[in-house]
Amino acid sequence: MKLTIWTYEGPPHVGAMRVATGMENVHYVLHAPQGDTYADLLFTMIERRGQRPPVTYTTFQARDLGEDTAELFKTACRDAYERFKPDALIVGASCTAELIQDDPGGLSESMGLPVPVIPLELPSYQRKENFGTSETFFQIARALVRKVDRTPEISCNILGPTGLGFRHRDDVAELEKMLAEIGISVNAVAPMGSSPADIARLGAAHFNVLLYPECGEEAARWLEREHGQPYTKTVPIGVGATRDFLSELAEITGLACAPDESNLRAPWYAASVDSTYLTGKRVFIFGDATHAAAAARVARDEMGFEVVGLGCFNREFARPIRALARDYGVEALITDDYLEVEKAIEAAQPEMILGTQMERHIGKRLGIPCAVISAPVHVQDFPARYSPQVGWEGANVLFDTWVHPLVMGLEEHLLHMFRDDFEFNDAAGPSHHAGHAAQKEVAQSSGDNVIWLDDAERELRKVPFFVRGKARRNTEKFAAEQGIASISVDTLYEAKAHFAR
Amino acid sequence: MQDAFFLVVGSRTCAHLLQSAAGVMIFAEPRFGTAVLEEKDLAGLADAHDELDAQVAQLLERRPDIRQLFLVGSCPSEVIKLDLSRAAERLTKRHAPHVRVLNYSGSGIETTFTQGEDACLEAMVPGMPATDAAELVLVGALPDVVEDQLTDLIRALGIETVHVLPSRRADEMARIGPNTRFVLAQPFLGDTAAALSRRGAQMIEAPFPFGAEGTTAWLRAIADTYGVSDELFERVTAAPHARAVKAVAAARATLQDKSIFFFPDSQLEIPLARFLTRECGMTAIEIGAPFIHKGVVGADLDLIPAGPMLSEGQDVDKQLDRCRAARPDLTVCGLGLANPLESEGLATKWAIELVFTPVHGYEQAGDLASLFARPLRRREALV
């Protein structure tokens, strides 16, 4: 047993949901108790999807346990097929169903459904979300990919994007644009955007772009082995990595692979004089292995930061991250315990953190600026605007995102000059990075002829601070209009009712 | 409950659920956590208890402010039949008198959503000290400001001793006995009500205090039990009642004659449907509730005009079919359904907000109505 409050990753069946939700015409029947439907909201709220995830839960309850939960599973399977008519089903168990051992694979096989049924074995008590995505995609590929001829033109698959992936939507768009410019067509993006028919034709591509190793490496290796497709080893996040990625493409395809750089602004921005103050800023980097590794290279070689900490939460990639950390002269931090991360950050005393949603909050607590580079992320990191991480536009986005939380050069200068000024003191923090300065209560009583009785004043304190000012102003306005000289609890609520809407 | 900590004994899924549900709250100093079961815990039951004891000891050492520790059962812990009630007894002995350890089930196989609060309060009832005094207990966790308003009103009616369950701190626990009366502030507390009755306390049956009418009827039931004069009742309630009516009227303009459809979520559905149909002029098409306890929501059910279909439990796909066919003006549902329904052109109000926003009593009646009016006003505002 291990006491946990924050988790970097969900259980593996959430990974399977991410694959199913990203795909088309696939349905996931999950043997799970009713509470497990909570995971739907990750997709409908955080990613703001306008459709329900294609997942049917068997929602067994305590009273079903003594009886036939296996029958319940078969009914759910049959109903889901009838209702959604998918081209393929994936079936599996959540943590609780794993314990009751109903074997979804065997059960669904015996049902003779007219579409492929792909069983998943996801050990919930050993593995986690990223394993779930990787394993699910691998099993889908293994079950569905057929031997087909290569396309006449040079083409590739983009492997790894899923539902609920950090910037997957825009990364795919940016990468497709870049590949089009250098004359490589995209056979399929998978799992996101692919139907079972598209998966069947994955073998038609000449090679694979492995965009996110966390979700796609297993499948990429298998495709290399079984279908002779090489796959790319560099993830094109950052200018240097993108160039290396392009050389890999040139080697695989024999094409020139020199896309248009006219919109690449990050290198000039980093070279411009206002960026001089970035030199040697001490950064701590933590996230999933792919994004952490990419961030380290950008931080040191393209921003001129000093990397003072580097780590990841997904153990599957511990080895490459350890090796990389040695290159940077730091000890790798491989942990899924946020308290350890917090301790390491406190010890390293960085000037900036590049991390996940968790590190953003650690940064807030310690008063250290932070930019988000990796999942797990919250709703604000599924932005409406175009904001890829990969390729040239990705490099531009990274520059802006990382620099914004820092005190800008001129501002930093002013902070030193006016160190003792109330507005510019160190504790005030950068003006555009909220959450540093203590919340001060702004609105005091307007003072003209209105008295707040003690009870009313106390009642007002119960109003949340962010609307308290408004409540105070409205009540005083109301009192003035009504000619009331002293504000009682009743006046407060009379005013509330008056302004209600 | 400021000095309580909730320790879920479960899987990574449970921890992930808490994190997803708690949203940003999880980054404050949280009062809940999960003891995540690992493979070695599943292999043999014997040392699961030792493991739990070690986790609890570590937690209590780190958080000495904890006075009540709830061991919350989950689906996995129930399926492997980990005996948390024995663990609670054992740990209470070990950490007495500073900390009391209780247990209840919050698992998805036993409970839905707010039923967890019911199970939690039910677990506290046996530990309430005994009394013969004729005191009143207000049952159900409410935001502090609402709790203060309601208890102030009850005191103004001349009923001096009002306790609340749960109390804000462990050492302020309400007492109970054969002369105790209690009134529910939330409709999902059927098991707690039964546990209180088993200790001899008597329930005051009333509609729930939502809206002007609901709050008055709720107070009326209390007043009648204690023989409060009509004249005093009128004096105490007239002004806040009038304020509530006025505040609700602002939202009523938007809600009047609109149809509403409830998916099951919190058990608040029936009292809210009563408020929306009677005080805001809405028409209910279907009222779904995860569980309908007639003895608890009967008074509200009686007040709802005939017409709406009542559904208990759910088959979400079938209910979605009915909802799409009915095309209600407003649909109350969970977060997993809200955006998908919006994208089909149906206005929604997500249900979970109703549990965490102050909505009870007179002063919140306008806020409650506007929670439902806002999605409709927003639809009109966006071109």
Side-chain angles (χ1 to χ4, degrees):
Chain A
M1 247 176 254
K2 182 160 172 28
L3 183 64
T4 305
I5 293 168
W6 295 353
T7 63
Y8 283 97
E9 293 182 73
H13 72 259
V14 168
M17 284 181 73
R18 289 176 50 187
V19 171
T21 304
M23 292 183 70
E24 314 278 332
N25 305 335
V26 165
H27 200 85
Y28 182 21
V29 180
L30 180 60
H31 203 15
Q34 54 182 353
D36 285 2
T37 54
Y38 81 91
D40 281 358
L41 73 87
L42 302 172
F43 299 91
T44 60
M45 297 306 288
I46 295 181
E47 203 179 6
R48 283 189 230 250
R49 282 183 183 259
Q51 300 85 37
R52 300 173 64 210
V55 180
T56 296
Y57 306 83
T58 55
T59 59
F60 58 81
Q61 298 176 24
R63 63 167 180 269
D64 303 317
L65 282 183
E67 295 162 31
D68 208 353
T69 47
E71 198 50 48
L72 206 65
F73 174 82
K74 284 164 90 168
T75 309
C77 232
R78 203 172 294 119
D79 288 354
Y81 176 73
E82 285 305 323
R83 181 173 284 271
F84 299 104
K85 288 278 169 11
D87 296 339
L89 274 178
I90 54 180
V91 299
S94 80
C95 50
T96 305
E98 195 183 331
L99 298 172
I100 58 177
Q101 299 180 331
D102 275 337
D103 183 22
L107 289 170
S108 48
E109 200 180 348
S110 70
M111 291 171 60
L113 291 169
V115 292
V117 179
I118 303 157
L120 298 177
E121 293 288 342
L122 301 175
S124 314
Y125 297 91
Q126 298 161 26
R127 310 306 293 267
K128 289 177 279 190
E129 180 177 332
N130 278 329
F131 171 82
T133 54
S134 178
E135 174 69 11
T136 303
F137 180 38
F138 167 56
Q139 293 299 343
I140 288 174
R142 223 174 59 146
L144 300 181
V145 175
R146 298 281 159 264
K147 290 270 181 226
V148 287
D149 293 334
R150 296 275 197 260
T151 56
E153 79 286 3
I154 294 179
S155 65
C156 69
N157 300 312
I158 299 176
L159 302 184
T162 63
L164 210 66
F166 176 63
R167 306 294 164 89
H168 288 195
R169 177 195 69 196
D170 297 343
D171 280 354
V172 167
E174 186 65 17
L175 194 55
E176 283 184 318
K177 200 175 107 219
M178 182 175 268
L179 292 167
E181 272 177 40
I182 56 184
I184 298 171
S185 75
V186 174
N187 177 60
V189 179
M192 191 161 80
S194 278
S195 66
D198 298 324
I199 299 288
R201 289 191 37 79
L202 281 184
H206 293 231
F207 70 101
N208 289 314
V209 171
L210 176 56
L211 187 50
Y212 307 114
E214 272 82 356
C215 324
E217 189 160 7
E218 198 78 9
R221 284 218 193 101
W222 179 80
L223 285 165
E224 183 175 56
R225 217 163 48 232
E226 298 292 318
H227 294 267
Q229 293 170 321
Y231 66 91
T232 55
K233 308 294 189 296
T234 316
V235 177
I237 296 178
V239 178
T242 302
R243 297 216 159 106
D244 289 354
F245 171 76
L246 290 167
S247 327
E248 261 193 85
L249 293 189
E251 204 169 300
I252 293 172
T253 63
L255 298 169
C257 295
D260 177 15
E261 288 193 15
S262 58
N263 283 322
L264 173 61
R265 287 174 288 271
W268 160 242
Y269 269 48
S272 75
V273 291
D274 191 53
S275 296
T276 313
Y277 77 101
L278 298 174
T279 315
K281 282 254 183 223
R282 308 173 71 254
V283 295
F284 189 99
I285 300 171
F286 194 84
D288 69 37
T290 298
H291 286 89
R297 180 170 178 183
V298 174
R300 185 182 67 183
D301 301 343
E302 296 167 29
M303 302 289 275
F305 295 152
E306 183 194 349
V307 175
V308 296
L310 176 60
C312 70
F313 56 78
N314 45 341
R315 265 169 211 291
E316 290 90 342
F317 291 80
R319 193 179 299 189
I321 289 294
R322 286 211 176 90
L324 188 68
R326 270 195 296 277
D327 285 351
Y328 283 75
V330 293
E331 177 95 29
L333 176 67
I334 314 292
T335 181
D336 58 357
D337 182 346
Y338 71 95
L339 290 172
E340 277 186 47
V341 179
E342 191 173 75
K343 242 184 270 165
I345 290 176
E346 268 174 312
Q349 289 290 317
E351 289 163 277
M352 182 184 201
I353 305 167
L354 299 172
T356 73
Q357 189 68 14
M358 317 300 191
E359 284 69 45
R360 205 168 69 84
H361 284 269
I362 291 173
K364 209 164 168 184
R365 215 175 69 78
L366 301 176
I368 302 169
C370 178
V372 170
I373 57 158
S374 156
V377 292
H378 207 42
V379 62
Q380 71 269 34
D381 276 300
F382 283 90
R385 66 175 186 277
Y386 185 59
S387 39
Q389 306 284 290
V390 308
W392 304 151
E393 187 56 25
N396 295 338
V397 168
L398 289 183
F399 182 88
D400 288 347
T401 310
W402 296 9
V403 165
H404 278 180
L406 289 170
V407 183
M408 300 295 281
L410 185 59
E411 198 176 354
E412 185 169 85
H413 189 62
L414 288 172
L415 283 181
H416 284 292
M417 262 173 73
F418 299 103
R419 197 170 308 165
D420 299 320
D421 190 282
F422 74 96
E423 209 180 343
F424 288 109
N425 69 56
D426 286 347
S431 56
H432 47 272
H433 183 54
H436 276 209
Q439 294 283 354
K440 281 182 214 136
E441 188 149 2
V442 216
Q444 275 306 311
S445 170
S446 56
D448 347 318
N449 310 323
V450 216
I451 298 158
W452 283 78
L453 297 177
D454 285 353
D455 280 352
E457 189 78 46
R458 260 201 302 282
E459 195 74 6
L460 185 69
R461 311 290 308 177
K462 296 174 187 167
V463 176
F465 72 87
F466 49 87
V467 288
R468 202 179 295 149
K470 185 176 165 199
R472 185 186 285 275
R473 277 198 305 282
N474 277 352
T475 309
E476 286 172 358
K477 188 168 153 214
F478 176 78
E481 281 170 10
Q482 305 285 314
I484 297 170
S486 57
I487 294 171
S488 66
V489 175
D490 275 332
T491 324
L492 179 66
Y493 284 118
E494 298 281 2
K496 185 167 188 256
H498 178 78
F499 290 109
R501 45 168 312 157
Chain B
M1 291 159 34
Q2 295 165 7
D3 49 9
F5 191 96
F6 297 83
L7 180 64
V8 178
V9 181
S11 62
R12 174 167 300 280
T13 311
C14 307
H16 196 236
L17 184 153
L18 280 179
Q19 176 167 325
S20 311
V24 292
M25 216 165 68
I26 200 145
F27 298 112
E29 190 65 83
R31 291 205 290 262
F32 49 82
T34 309
V36 174
L37 293 165
E38 293 167 325
E39 219 185 11
K40 61 181 191 304
D41 300 311
L42 304 177
L45 275 179
D47 68 349
H49 285 279
D50 296 343
E51 287 275 316
L52 181 61
D53 291 2
Q55 291 299 325
V56 166
Q58 195 194 348
L59 172 67
L60 293 178
E61 195 182 329
R62 216 163 57 194
R63 300 283 299 276
D65 53 314
I66 298 171
R67 301 292 314 279
Q68 305 180 75
L69 176 67
F70 290 90
L71 302 177
V72 184
S74 68
C75 315
S77 68
E78 268 154 39
V79 169
I80 63 168
K81 308 229 180 298
L82 186 57
D83 190 345
L84 290 183
S85 68
R86 251 183 51 211
E89 275 176 37
R90 184 180 66 240
L91 287 163
T92 294
K93 270 188 211 136
R94 181 166 311 166
H95 297 284
H98 189 66
V99 185
R100 227 157 67 90
V101 185
L102 299 155
N103 92 291
Y104 68 91
S105 168
S107 76
I109 52 179
E110 297 276 2
T111 59
T112 68
F113 191 22
T114 47
Q115 269 182 288
E117 180 179 332
D118 194 16
C120 171
L121 295 186
E122 187 193 5
M124 294 172 74
V125 172
M128 291 169 77
T131 178
D132 282 330
E135 293 171 341
L136 178 66
V137 182
L138 173 57
V139 185
L142 293 170
D144 290 354
V145 57
V146 174
E147 190 179 294
D148 291 349
Q149 285 168 8
L150 292 179
T151 49
D152 285 352
L153 280 166
I154 292 170
R155 289 201 185 94
L157 291 173
I159 303 157
E160 289 301 329
T161 320
V162 195
H163 296 292
V164 290
L165 177 72
S167 53
R168 287 180 203 176
R169 310 193 63 84
D171 49 15
E172 296 162 2
M173 176 86 85
R175 302 180 298 171
I176 191 169
N179 298 316
T180 308
R181 306 286 187 133
F182 68 93
V183 64
L184 299 182
Q186 302 279 21
F188 42 74
L189 299 176
D191 291 343
T192 306
L196 289 165
S197 301
R198 282 198 295 277
R199 290 200 54 182
Q202 295 161 62
M203 179 164 105
I204 300 171
E205 282 181 42
F208 286 89
F210 298 115
E213 184 194 44
T215 308
T216 300
W218 186 78
L219 287 169
R220 182 87 249 178
I222 298 169
D224 287 351
T225 307
Y226 284 84
V228 176
S229 74
D230 286 355
E231 187 255 340
L232 175 60
F233 186 81
E234 187 58 24
R235 185 144 39 89
V236 171
T237 59
H241 179 94
R243 280 203 294 267
V245 169
K246 188 177 164 198
V248 169
R252 183 171 176 134
T254 312
L255 297 174
Q256 182 77 45
D257 299 326
K258 298 289 198 308
S259 59
I260 188 160
F261 191 107
F262 288 89
F263 278 85
D265 204 63
S266 61
Q267 297 189 52
L268 293 172
E269 295 85 1
I270 287 170
L272 288 176
R274 186 261 301 152
F275 165 69
L276 292 166
T277 50
R278 291 176 60 97
E279 297 187 47
C280 303
M282 298 189 86
T283 316
I285 296 173
E286 174 166 337
I287 309 170
F291 185 71
I292 299 177
H293 194 312
K294 289 259 165 55
V296 173
V297 292
D300 283 288
L301 267 178
D302 293 344
L303 289 170
I304 295 176
M309 170 174 177
L310 280 183
S311 65
E312 185 174 3
Q314 68 174 329
D315 181 326
V316 69
D317 286 310
K318 285 186 186 141
Q319 201 181 13
L320 271 171
D321 290 345
R322 294 200 297 274
C323 180
R324 287 178 180 130
R327 294 208 67 82
D329 294 310
L330 188 64
T331 302
V332 182
C333 61
L335 291 175
L337 291 178
N339 271 336
L341 287 174
E342 288 280 350
S343 81
E344 291 178 28
L346 294 170
T348 61
K349 166 76 225 123
W350 32 292
I352 194 166
E353 198 179 358
L354 300 161
V355 178
F356 300 112
T357 312
V359 291
H360 295 70
Y362 289 126
E363 314 304 352
Q364 282 66 237
D367 298 344
L368 176 59
S370 73
L371 281 181
F372 293 91
R374 198 172 299 132
L376 296 174
R377 283 185 21 235
R378 183 162 182 82
R379 290 208 140 227
E380 286 164 20
L382 300 177
V383 257

